[in-house]
């Protein structure tokens, strides 16, 4: 699989979500092909993006295969091992397992620890000791002990597909848990809400920020403005944010203007308390016939600069991004927004 064809991983900071480890026991191995195909389909349906690394698909002609395997292992979150009786008879499989467990499971405090999930291809009287600590998924008939057949003609009860569904659910939960742990360690940017529906200019900014894999954009989901806990929820996000960005679009009704102003007031207060950069505000021009948010604009442009707030007025999205780049660099986040400049035009 060429790099340009690889799917984007679900997890930030990982090139691959899952490393599929197995011993070649027959060629072609329709069972393994079907497992990989069905599992990826199930996970994409549940998570939208997923990257499963597998040597036969991802090793290109001319690659140094051992080096490529070690590179993939170091950038994979979950180690999914298809276990047979002869799995550890393969020096490659043994090396993959030892390398992953050594790197990921022994991660330092604060680092993202790995996950090992064994797939038992047939029944074991005594499973390999190395896999005993981990939750396994059985892909074998409980009576005969033979592997579930990938063909419904051979297995009308569909044991193989039921096991794929069970495995996909386990992987989904593990990936979501890892995503939460990773996000909690990543720096965050607060991108203030602009009311409902979300304003086009805010959509552009949010879309570009989300293309980065080194930060989290808050709020993660829209605020519920009728909840008593609203301001506490906003303050929780602001407390975590390294930087606050606010779009003050034209054409807001009185209620949305109140929401935009309140978030900005709270952001200024929090950034002062935390000694962090003052919020960056973009005030796009109003289209012909649409009024500017005069009261809000006057407050932003006349009063807040005295507190160190930066604002850009007009339709210069390029200037807005340049100022945002500077603030990101000030926060220790080298920006890659510039490379998307030609792709997103407001």
């Amino acid at each position: 699989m060429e790099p340009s064809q690889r799917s984007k991983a679900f997890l930030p900071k990982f090139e691959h979500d899952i490393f599929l480890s197995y011993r070649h026991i027959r060629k072609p191995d329709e069972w393994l092909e079907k497992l990989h195909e069905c599992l990826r389909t199930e996970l994409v349906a549940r998570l939208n993006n997923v990257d499963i690394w597998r040597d036969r698909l991802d090793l290109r002609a001319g690659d140094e295969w051992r080096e490529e395997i070690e590179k993939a292992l170091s950038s994979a979150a979950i180690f999914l091992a298809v276990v047979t009786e002869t799995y550890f008879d393969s020096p490659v499989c043994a090396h993959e397992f030892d390398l992953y467990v050594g790197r990921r499971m022994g991660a330092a405090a604060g680092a993202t620890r790995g996950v090992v999930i064994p797939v038992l291809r047939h029944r074991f009287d005594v499973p390999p000791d190395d896999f005993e600590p981990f939750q396994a998924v059985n892909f074998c008939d409980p009576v005969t002990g033979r592997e579930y057949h990938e063909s419904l003609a051979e297995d009308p009860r569909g044991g193989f597909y039921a096991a794929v569904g069970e495995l996909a659910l386990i992987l989904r939960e593990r990936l979501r848990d890892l995503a939460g742990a990773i996000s909690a360690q990543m720096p965050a940017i607060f991108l203030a809400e602009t009311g409902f529906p979300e304003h086009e200019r805010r959509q552009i900014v949010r879309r570009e920020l989300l293309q980065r894999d080194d930060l989290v954009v808050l709020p993660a989901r829209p605020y519920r403005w009728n909840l008593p806990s609203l301001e506490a929820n906003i303050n929780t996000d602001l407390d975590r944010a390294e930087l606050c960005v606010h779009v003050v679009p034209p054409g807001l009704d009185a209620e949305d203007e109140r929401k935009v102003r309140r978030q900005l007031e709270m952001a200024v207060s929090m950034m002062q308390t935390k000694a962090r950069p003052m919020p960056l505000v973009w005030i796009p021009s109003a289209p012909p016939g649409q009024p500017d948010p005069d009261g809000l604009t006057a407050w932003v442009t006349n009063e807040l600069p005295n507190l160190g707030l930066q604002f850009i007025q007009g339709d210069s999205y390029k200037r807005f991004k340049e100022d945002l780049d500077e603030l990101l660099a000030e926060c220790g986040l080298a920006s890659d927004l510039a490379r998307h400049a030609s792709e997103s035009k407001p």
Side-chain angles (χ1 to χ4, degrees), residues 23-300:
R23 184 173 189 190
H24 299 269
I25 59 175
R26 57 177 178 258
K27 297 180 181 181
D29 191 339
E30 291 86 358
W31 189 94
L32 190 69
E33 298 285 348
K34 184 59 71 172
L35 172 67
H36 181 243
E37 174 191 334
C38 292
L39 191 58
R40 187 179 186 284
T41 299
E42 289 280 337
L43 288 173
V44 167
R46 289 171 165 85
L47 300 172
N48 294 326
N49 294 322
V50 70
D51 186 278
I52 303 175
W53 194 94
R54 177 181 158 210
D55 63 355
R56 193 178 300 173
L57 287 175
D58 287 346
L59 287 184
R60 300 177 298 281
D63 282 337
E64 294 292 337
W65 64 269
R66 186 177 292 274
E67 181 180 335
E68 286 294 306
I69 285 175
E70 292 186 1
K71 179 181 176 183
L73 275 168
S74 68
S75 58
I78 294 177
F79 187 84
L80 184 65
V82 178
V83 185
T84 60
E85 286 185 349
T86 60
Y87 177 86
F88 281 115
D89 292 342
S90 164
V92 175
C93 290
H95 178 67
E96 290 172 354
F97 179 83
D98 291 342
L99 189 62
Y100 180 86
V101 170
R103 286 183 179 175
R104 285 260 164 252
M105 305 306 288
T112 304
R113 292 175 62 83
V115 175
V116 174
I117 300 178
V119 168
L120 304 184
R121 189 163 175 172
H122 54 74
R123 187 172 62 198
F124 288 85
D125 293 329
V126 180
D129 291 342
D130 295 280
F131 288 113
E132 188 176 356
F134 307 112
Q135 177 187 4
V137 179
N138 288 298
F139 270 72
C140 53
D141 188 288
V143 177
T144 66
R146 292 195 298 268
E147 66 186 40
Y148 286 131
H149 203 284
E150 71 277 8
S151 168
L152 288 174
E154 298 290 336
D155 179 15
R157 292 181 298 175
F160 178 88
Y161 296 95
V164 168
E166 178 189 353
L167 178 58
L169 288 173
I170 292 171
L171 286 167
R172 181 192 66 180
E173 294 310 307
R174 296 295 183 274
L175 286 167
R176 285 179 172 174
D177 289 345
L178 287 169
I182 293 167
S183 295
Q185 300 170 18
M186 293 171 66
I189 287 185
F190 179 83
L191 179 59
E193 291 191 353
T194 54
F196 182 83
E198 182 182 41
H199 193 271
E200 174 192 5
R201 303 302 174 91
R202 183 183 187 272
Q203 288 179 342
I204 292 169
V205 176
R206 186 172 187 273
R207 185 166 59 244
E208 292 203 359
L209 288 172
L210 288 174
Q211 291 185 47
R212 299 174 56 116
D213 61 1
D214 59 348
L215 56 80
V216 175
V217 180
L218 301 174
R221 57 184 59 85
Y223 293 126
R224 297 176 63 183
W225 286 82
N226 59 337
L227 290 181
S229 60
L230 169 67
E231 294 213 352
N233 295 337
I234 295 175
N235 266 324
T236 296
D237 287 341
L238 288 171
D239 182 59
R240 186 181 167 194
E242 299 290 334
L243 177 66
C244 300
V245 177
H246 299 252
V247 180
V248 181
L252 295 177
D253 60 26
E255 179 62 18
D256 284 342
E257 185 172 324
R258 181 188 68 81
K259 294 175 182 177
V260 169
R261 178 166 181 150
R262 184 59 186 140
Q263 289 172 94
L264 189 48
E265 289 172 338
M266 295 174 69
V268 168
S269 175
M270 182 65 75
M271 295 301 105
Q272 286 179 318
T273 301
K274 296 287 185 178
R276 292 173 181 164
M278 281 291 103
L280 175 64
V281 181
W282 180 25
I283 310 173
S285 301
Q290 192 174 68
D292 278 304
D294 293 329
L296 187 56
T297 300
W299 175 66
V300 170

